[in-house]
Amino acid sequence: MKRSEINEIIRECEAWVTSMHFLLPPWAHWSLDQWKTLKHEGVDATEIFANMLGWDVTDFGKDNFNSFGLTLFTIRNGNLKKDKKNYAEKILIISEGQHNPMHFHWYKMEDIINRGGGKLIIEAYGSTSDGNLSDQDFSVKIDGIRRSFKPGSHIVLEPGESICIEPGLYHRFFVEGGQVLAGEVSMVNDDCTDNRFLEPLSRYTNIEEDEMPYRLLCGDYEHFLGKFD
């Protein structure tokens, strides 16, 4: 993706998230110059940098963001090797017509919440011992109520509803009836080791730097700000 495309996506998402009356932390809106000033002044933002908090715009290496992509903002995340925080929180901005890869997590349990907009659809399957799709029924909790589903079911979440996705449950998201602001409340998030994609994919986007970043992505910090401890 071009940096100019990513910049425009974040501008649109910032405005839309604000219109949904969901407020991000102040540093979500900092410019590159503000980040540089912060580091120059010796402010300790190690948790933001090391735990990959912040913006994430990905096309999963498919180079077709509008049909296969996702915009996320990680608000908080722990790092079990460095601190005692054992939880994470994100928002996901999912546009109509946009899909993301079928995947599960080896370790992370997460609640996915439809915080507003259209309908959030989760396509889900159990998994086999060798990491493939299962042909067996599975069950999940939706707002604390356990329900059973056939493999490949499309589970519909209206605004305000949530689903608990346990480790090993294959899932992917898409939406109907307009863009959705989804929330994720989970155990510590580790995109480097905890994702199992059914189809091997790149988790992050290759960026063509055709202009300076409007907002730094979570993978940009070291490149633009230098190394940090």
Side-chain angles (χ1 to χ4, degrees), residues 19-43:
S19 76
M20 296 294 287
H21 307 289
F22 191 95
L23 300 180
L24 294 171
W27 56 264
H29 310 291
W30 285 358
S31 67
L32 175 57
D33 286 343
Q34 286 174 294
W35 279 111
K36 287 180 176 178
T37 298
L38 178 85
K39 190 167 186 186
H40 178 72
E41 292 175 348
V43 176

Side-chain angles (χ1 to χ4, degrees), residues 24-25 27-28 54-56 71-75 89-92:
L24 294 171
W27 56 264
W55 290 103
D56 181 5
T71 303
L72 311 90
F73 188 95
T74 301
I75 301 168
E89 181 184 8
K90 297 180 183 179
I91 59 165
L92 301 81

Side-chain angles (χ1 to χ4, degrees), residues 115-129:
R115 295 201 180 277
K119 296 179 181 180
L120 177 60
I121 318 294
I122 294 96
E123 181 182 356
Y125 295 81
S127 60
T128 62
S129 59

Side-chain angles (χ1 to χ4, degrees), residues 127-176:
S127 60
T128 62
S129 59
D130 58 356
N132 290 312
L133 299 178
S134 171
D135 61 1
Q136 301 297 307
D137 292 358
F138 64 91
S139 67
V140 293
K141 289 183 181 178
I142 298 175
D143 294 323
I145 299 172
R146 186 167 289 280
R147 301 180 183 179
S148 295
F149 292 94
K150 297 293 184 183
S153 289
H154 288 184
I155 302 168
V156 180
L157 297 183
E158 299 283 354
E161 293 184 317
S162 67
I163 184 172
C164 178
I165 297 178
E166 298 183 6
L169 183 71
Y170 269 113
H171 58 285
R172 71 181 184 97
F173 311 118
F174 59 97
V175 303
E176 292 178 356

